Amino acid sequence: MTFADLGLSDELLRSVNDSGYTEPTPIQAAAIPSVLMMRDLVAIAQTGTGKTASFVLPMIDILAQGRSRARMPRSLILEPTRELAAQVAENFEKYGANHKLSMALLIGGVSMGDQLAALEKGVDVLIATPGRLMDLFTRGKILLTGCSMLVIDEADRMLDMGFIPDIEEICTKLPKQRQTLLFSATMPPPIKKLADKFLDNPKTIEVSRPASTNLNIAQHVVPVSAAKKRDVLRQLLATEEVRNAIIFCNRKTTVRELNKSLQRARFRSAEIHGDMDQSARIAELERFKSGDVSILVASDVAARGLDVKGVSHVFNFDAPWHPDDYVHRIGRTGRGGATGIAYTLVTPDDAENIANIEKLTGQKIPVLDLGGAPVEDIAEPEAAPVEEAPRRGRRRPAAAAVVEAEAQPTRAPRPERDERPAPATREERPTTREERRPRREREERSDDRYDQRRDERPARYVQQDAVEDGAWNGPFPAFLNVRIPG
């Protein structure tokens, strides 16, 4: 089957051919004819299958007839993140080269003035994140009554970020007579409920069973101790044929520190996470796409929808907390029919997370045999053994304790419990184990607990924090570490 068999216009076929594509992917072959027939659609497809083009291509042909009006977009595409929205805009520019369609990108982190100016002229296609769209709508800067086509992309990611209430409200502002397309990699119950409520007799397309992983990706778990993860990662990067790779971490602080560690080891790496402003994130992505750097260390802000051609490897430095995130992370490789490799570094504490991933995907992830060498031989040697120090002393290496004991006279027997001195005062007590930790580590542990508490809050508040994923969410400042004298 070719794109010409799908009913696309000659102008659009030229643009597709100029982009280097000759045959549609399964999701494109199944979705494009239905969209051209103006049917509502629910499409379930794993990442990297070309689902963006499956709605961009028919939308261009549908919108070729008609004209736009000021502040009234003719179609609306909702994306969960700025990066995804920007990538969809790039697809419209590429495939719409032979059409005279206008487009506006409505995302946070960029000048609102330019966006408002484009809306005032009238646009055929509006690509937006829910937060910025609701902001402008409440200000009366945009009208949705002329929108005849709605695309909800990455619906399961919208659910994770708490955008479902906003999407429901946006749907009520749109005309009831419209075409609605919903795309998702998984179909949890809230997304099915959303589809049942706002889609009219949709056609359901499923090119792979829900939550399945790409069969073109070779997956491995690598058992490792928490203290030696960086050493094992560096060994894999050095021994594997890594053209370019994305390394995912669960925390922003881990992203920053791991990137610095890789740069010190002379790897060409960059980082991207939610604490960076939009311009910095775009700049780092461009460096990775252009080959200026070959390794991108990322938080889950980049896990969904990041489309970079030719990514050979994905490394999960941290096993993802949510099994759905695993599917989306490793989907950054093996895209467009290519093959890829995904490694997940697993500590004993990650056993439950891996079990949940295997339960979701329905497949056992093989354990990597590192050439017969135990994991302990890969990393730096362990510290010297320690023995329990006296009650008021400090822990010290065992060898030093033996030397000191030989130099000291024999101690008198310890007194009975009734004869022991009173407990030491607060000033004399040794510091706690937590207080002996380096300050940066204590702050990161505090940040982790804060992130976990954020995930347990009502979805409405999680959504407010994640609207544009640009708010500061780093460790607590030092001046907040106030201790009450006791």
Side-chain angles (χ1 to χ4, degrees), residues 79-86 104-113 115 126-136 139 163 274 276-282 466-471:
E79 297 288 345
T81 66
R82 307 168 186 173
E83 286 76 19
L84 272 172
L105 187 60
L106 203 60
I107 59 176
V110 297
S111 171
M112 188 180 292
Q115 298 172 354
L126 177 62
I127 307 168
T129 52
R132 179 55 67 93
L133 178 64
M134 289 302 299
D135 182 18
L136 292 188
R139 298 187 189 188
F163 282 139
M276 300 169 62
D277 60 40
Q278 181 67 3
S279 60
R281 285 157 62 173
I282 292 176
V467 163
E468 297 299 344
D469 197 20

Side-chain angles (χ1 to χ4, degrees), residues 307-324:
D307 188 9
V308 181
K309 292 182 180 180
V311 174
S312 63
H313 290 70
V314 166
F315 296 89
N316 290 313
F317 185 76
D318 297 318
W321 289 320
H322 304 292
D324 282 348

Side-chain angles (χ1 to χ4, degrees), residues 452-463:
Q452 293 171 6
R453 289 197 302 271
R454 277 165 41 95
D455 292 340
E456 297 170 358
R457 295 182 301 165
R460 191 65 175 172
Y461 293 98
V462 176
Q463 177 259 331

Side-chain angles (χ1 to χ4, degrees), residues 434-449:
E434 184 68 18
E435 290 172 337
R436 288 200 301 270
R437 293 181 182 275
R439 182 180 185 84
R440 168 183 279 179
E441 184 177 347
R442 297 205 308 271
E443 290 176 347
E444 179 172 337
R445 286 164 60 89
S446 175
D447 186 34
D448 298 344
R449 290 193 292 268

Side-chain angles (χ1 to χ4, degrees), residues 335-372:
R335 300 178 72 84
T339 59
I341 302 176
Y343 292 101
T344 303
L345 305 186
V346 178
T347 67
D349 293 337
D350 297 322
E352 183 178 356
N353 293 340
I354 298 301
N356 291 335
I357 290 169
E358 293 177 338
K359 180 179 179 181
L360 177 72
T361 60
Q363 63 183 109
K364 185 75 174 178
I365 306 175
V367 178
L368 175 66
D369 180 9
L370 293 174

